[in-house]
Amino acid sequence: MSDHVRVWCLRHGESENVTAAIAGAVLSAPLTELGRRQAELAAQALTDEPISGIYASTALRARQTAQPLAAAGGISVQAMPELVEVGIGRHEGSSDPAVRRQTADVLRAWVVDDDLEQRVADGETGREVVTRVTTAFLHIAEQHPGETVAVVGHVASLTAALGRLCALGPAVWGTPLPHAQPFLVEWTGATWRCPSWPGTQT
């Protein structure tokens, strides 16, 4: 059997923490009505894909985004804490614009400057985020050799980890992942590749 694995990745649909500008992992925030429609459209976009497994962050909004796809394929969503959004420690749940700016600055340092030691307050370093998300993707690839799967995650943790996994570097910076828009990431058996990062030419 081929070791090649196709992973359809997507950020969760629009959620209440996004519309309220709340920073952090915010695991309990649900999708908005628009987010639910986006999740349905994502499931429709992947209708013809032979998806054999669906993985999502443990955050409610990620699991809700995965649900229409799971229902269409008769597959259970497997929740993975390794896929959650970046932790920002004591600032978790903050609506302070200064915290959101700091969060963006730290993510930029990870992606553009390759400085993975930065963190927001007592939150996670970039190295910790990349390590846990990479671990999740390697586990998924090991479970599905020769198959196609879907992964629902979050804008910052997916960007930081996949930018490094696929050796895209700063090319992933500047155009945040859109809500619930699937994009392909592939495991060749030896390396990860991303044929097309949303919003960029790769």
Side-chain angles (χ1 to χ4, degrees):
M1 180 182 292
S2 169
D3 287 335
H4 185 267
V5 183
R6 301 170 77 246
V7 183
W8 284 103
C9 297
L10 57 155
R11 179 189 183 185
H12 59 82
E14 183 189 81
S15 52
E16 291 185 3
N17 61 305
V18 173
T19 56
I22 302 298
V26 200
L27 298 182
S28 62
L31 293 178
T32 63
E33 181 59 38
L34 173 58
R36 288 190 285 273
R37 292 199 301 272
Q38 290 169 336
E40 294 284 353
L41 290 173
Q44 292 173 22
L46 296 173
T47 295
D48 295 331
E49 291 292 325
I51 291 173
S52 58
I54 301 173
Y55 296 83
S57 151
T58 50
L60 177 59
R61 58 193 181 279
R63 291 183 285 114
Q64 287 179 330
T65 300
Q67 197 52 51
L69 182 59
I75 302 172
S76 297
V77 177
Q78 299 187 55
M80 297 186 73
E82 296 87 352
L83 295 172
V84 299
E85 186 55 296
V86 173
I88 59 172
R90 65 178 179 271
H91 290 321
E92 174 69 23
S94 174
S95 58
D96 184 346
V99 171
R100 296 198 301 278
R101 284 195 299 272
Q102 184 185 5
T103 302
D105 288 344
V106 167
L107 180 60
R108 187 185 189 282
W110 296 349
V111 173
V112 177
D113 302 327
D114 198 29
D115 181 359
L116 294 181
E117 301 312 315
Q118 295 292 323
R119 69 175 81 201
V120 177
D122 55 337
E124 294 180 285
T125 66
R127 195 167 306 284
E128 289 169 334
V129 173
V130 169
T131 296
R132 65 171 166 81
V133 177
T134 297
T135 298
F137 271 75
L138 287 173
H139 172 77
I140 290 166
E142 289 171 357
Q143 297 301 307
H144 297 275
E147 297 178 351
T148 299
V149 299
V151 170
V152 183
H154 303 267
V155 60
S157 54
L158 283 177
T159 298
L162 293 178
R164 289 183 70 85
L165 272 182
C166 299
L168 298 175
V172 300
W173 184 255
T175 307
L177 289 174
H179 289 291
Q181 179 179 311
F183 63 98
L184 187 63
V185 175
E186 298 173 298
W187 170 244
T188 67
T191 60
W192 291 93
R193 61 185 298 270
C194 180
S196 179
W197 187 265
T200 65
Q201 298 296 320
T202 60

